[in-house]
Structures are given as structure tokens and as C-alpha cells.
Amino acid sequence: MNRRLLQFLQAENLTQTQFADTLSVARGSVSHILSGRNKPGYDFLESLLLHYPSLNLEWLLTGKGRMYRDISADDGSDNAQLALFPLPNPTEPRQIERILVFYDDNTYQEFHANQ
């Protein structure tokens, strides 16, 4: 896996330092993983996939498939998420219903348009 991770860094034109900083992991951790001394843990892999969603985890772990996932072949879960929280129709007029103001002392004030 360390060779494939190094290939990924080269493909993304990233240094080990940039990669570690992006994932918010210790720079030494990346160095140890790339040298084969350590294996990446769950937190490392989770952060990796959150920051690089197009990376094919199966390729990274097993070498099977391609380095990058085919985003167009996804199951549409992102679209399903959008359906749960539809965006407003920009052609329909909108009015402010309420405004919340949060203060640095952990209090808030709510203003309603009807009041």
C-alpha cells in the first residue's frame, strides 16, 4: 500500500509535508507509512477519503482497479441527500422569516419578521 500511496502523492503533485498538513496528521506518520514502517490507521484512512473523495480506496488497499473512482458511476447518494433538503426555487420570491443573532457569550437573540 505504501507504494500506491506514494503514486497517489505523485499524481496529485503533493509533497509528504503538504499531504500531512492537509490530513492534519503528524508529518512523521506519513513518512513512516510511506517507508512501510507503519500501516495507516482508521483515522488516517477516514481523513484521506474525506479530503480526497475521488481516490479509490479499493485500489489503495488492494491494488485492484484504478487510482481514481468514477464519480459519474456513483449510486447517486449525493442526489438523494439533495432531495431531502431541496434548494429553494430561485424564480419564486422569498421573504425573511426570522433572523438569529449569536453572541460570543453563548447567548442568542431571535427576530421574527411578523413582530
Side-chain angles (χ1 to χ4, degrees):
M1 182 182 135
N2 55 338
R3 289 188 312 260
R4 287 185 295 278
L5 188 56
L6 188 55
Q7 287 176 341
F8 176 70
L9 292 181
Q10 291 169 346
E12 292 288 316
N13 197 27
L14 291 170
T15 65
Q16 291 182 27
T17 301
Q18 291 169 322
F19 183 62
D21 292 347
T22 299
L23 298 184
S24 299
V25 298
R27 294 173 181 173
S29 297
V30 172
S31 178
H32 290 296
I33 290 168
L34 291 174
S35 70
R37 178 176 175 192
N38 293 348
K39 294 183 190 231
Y42 175 80
D43 292 337
F44 178 88
L45 293 173
E46 180 182 35
S47 183
L48 177 63
L49 291 177
L50 287 173
H51 288 91
Y52 301 98
S54 62
L55 177 62
N56 181 356
L57 185 60
E58 182 178 10
W59 171 82
L60 183 64
L61 296 176
T62 67
K64 294 179 182 176
R66 297 176 184 240
M67 182 185 299
Y68 294 100
R69 295 183 318 120
D70 181 10
I71 302 298
S72 63
D74 273 353
D75 62 353
S77 57
D78 290 340
N79 292 335
Q81 180 72 15
L82 288 176
L84 292 174
F85 303 101
L87 296 174
N89 184 344
T91 60
E92 295 178 7
R94 300 183 310 179
Q95 295 182 0
I96 295 174
E97 183 177 303
R98 65 183 174 154
I99 298 172
L100 292 173
V101 178
F102 295 93
Y103 298 98
D104 59 359
D105 63 354
N106 292 327
T107 62
Y108 70 95
Q109 191 170 6
E110 186 172 356
F111 300 95
H112 290 273
N114 299 344
Q115 296 178 351

